[in-house]
Amino acid sequence: MTAHGASREALAAARERLDALTDNTAVDAARLADELAAVTALLDREVSLRRVLTDPAQAGEAKAELAGRLLGGKVGGETADLVAGMVRSRWSASRDLVDALEELASVADLTAAQKSGALDTVEDELFRFGRIVASSTELRAALTDRAATATAKGELLRSLLGGKAAATTERLVERLVTVPRGRSLEAGLESLSKLAADRRERMVAVVTSAVPLSDQQKQRLGVALAKIYGRQMHLNLDVDPEVLGGIRVQVGDEVINGSIADRIEDAHRRMAG
């Protein structure tokens, strides 16, 4: 979520409250994620309701009480309290509240994976699933077909991921595919990957090499990138035979080219110039 002004501050406060909640071992982060996702779906459908809950002319406590009445008995106390705190805050646009709820649902799911020791697996599976979608026009079309029902898309995903991926990966991808909320599948998967990396306070580096890197090479590369960027780095590894040698590393919008192919191309450009 790209937030501005009041919404950025409200989201930061909500993230702090979520972290405080999930730090408690008694809180079921996966259940919290499901309930936040349900509230997201409700407010995504009910435009007039979310406008009321984000109306700056209304007192924050009155909006919190309304949210409490709507959600009472339908979600757990932690979820109800979290949503009440969010509607007390000021939002730059009513849709920002829904975007924030969706992000918190994903973060809660990733926290559940972290608690169970599965976060690395989820990060890698999200990356690999993105690569599979990018390489299959037919699969992408089926998963993004507006004429297909959410049930049909969910069944297709379960046939692909069921029993083969972590439960958190399945939940995250299914929510993204069945309730895209106007985003492209690729943008949604990229956003989830960034949230997963942020959960470990790491940056993501997409590393492309001609052949798979050895464990020692991956370790050395991770250490080198951590020194460059000053943060722990998660490596998403991809193999492209057209990379003649070396590696190509992309961190956000920055590309570090170390491949022979890129060096040859650069040399040709220099000669042509």
Side-chain angles (χ1 to χ4, degrees):
M1 170 185 174
T2 302
H4 302 281
S7 292
R8 182 173 58 247
E9 294 176 6
L11 174 60
R15 286 286 296 266
E16 288 181 6
R17 288 194 292 268
L18 177 65
D19 286 343
L21 272 175
T22 53
D23 281 345
N24 185 341
T25 56
V27 173
D28 184 340
R31 179 183 58 78
L32 186 61
D34 285 340
E35 292 178 350
L36 287 169
V39 178
T40 301
L42 170 66
L43 295 185
D44 198 42
R45 292 192 309 268
E46 303 293 338
V47 178
S48 58
L49 174 59
R50 74 169 184 250
R51 285 176 178 167
V52 170
L53 292 175
T54 56
D55 183 356
Q58 300 295 322
E61 198 56 43
K63 291 184 286 187
E65 289 177 3
L66 173 58
R69 290 196 302 271
L70 290 170
L71 300 178
K74 299 181 179 68
V75 299
E78 295 93 352
T79 303
D81 289 344
L82 183 58
V83 174
M86 293 176 74
V87 300
R88 285 190 186 96
S89 298
R90 293 179 64 88
W91 298 88
S92 304
S94 63
R95 185 180 174 84
D96 290 350
L97 171 62
V98 188
D99 290 344
L101 282 163
E102 182 180 52
E103 181 172 311
L104 293 191
S106 297
V107 171
D109 251 333
L110 292 166
T111 302
Q114 187 176 36
K115 286 184 172 183
S116 67
L119 185 55
D120 277 343
T121 298
V122 171
E123 286 179 299
D124 291 335
E125 288 173 347
L126 288 170
F127 176 73
R128 289 201 302 271
F129 184 74
R131 289 301 191 196
I132 291 170
V133 170
S135 66
S136 174
T137 304
E138 184 179 356
L139 175 59
R140 186 188 184 283
L143 293 174
T144 58
D145 183 2
R146 294 184 179 181
T149 65
T151 300
K153 292 178 182 178
E155 289 176 353
L156 174 58
L157 281 174
R158 283 188 287 277
S159 72
L160 293 169
L161 301 177
K164 304 168 189 172
T168 298
T169 305
E170 290 188 52
R171 287 195 300 270
L172 289 169
V173 174
E174 184 168 351
R175 283 205 298 266
L176 174 62
V177 169
T178 57
V179 192
R181 302 189 59 241
R183 295 162 305 184
S184 71
L185 182 55
E186 292 83 356
L189 287 169
E190 182 180 357
S191 176
L192 288 173
S193 292
K194 287 179 178 178
L195 286 175
D198 184 58
R199 188 65 227 163
R200 284 194 183 277
E201 297 184 348
R202 295 186 297 183
M203 298 180 73
V204 174
V206 177
V207 181
T208 306
S209 58
V211 296
L213 300 180
S214 68
D215 289 341
Q216 187 176 20
Q217 288 173 319
K218 286 185 285 187
Q219 183 177 6
R220 286 204 305 266
L221 179 59
V223 170
L225 290 172
K227 288 181 179 178
I228 292 172
Y229 290 95
R231 292 180 64 185
Q232 188 178 2
M233 191 74 62
H234 176 71
L235 306 184
N236 282 338
L237 304 174
D238 198 18
V239 175
D240 182 356
E242 293 188 6
V243 178
L244 301 182
I247 58 174
R248 179 180 185 274
V249 180
Q250 181 168 351
V251 180
D253 294 329
E254 184 176 1
V255 175
I256 302 171
N257 273 323
S259 70
I260 291 175
D262 287 321
R263 290 174 186 172
I264 292 173
E265 185 177 342
D266 183 61
H268 281 308
R269 283 197 299 266
R270 290 173 183 271
M271 290 174 66

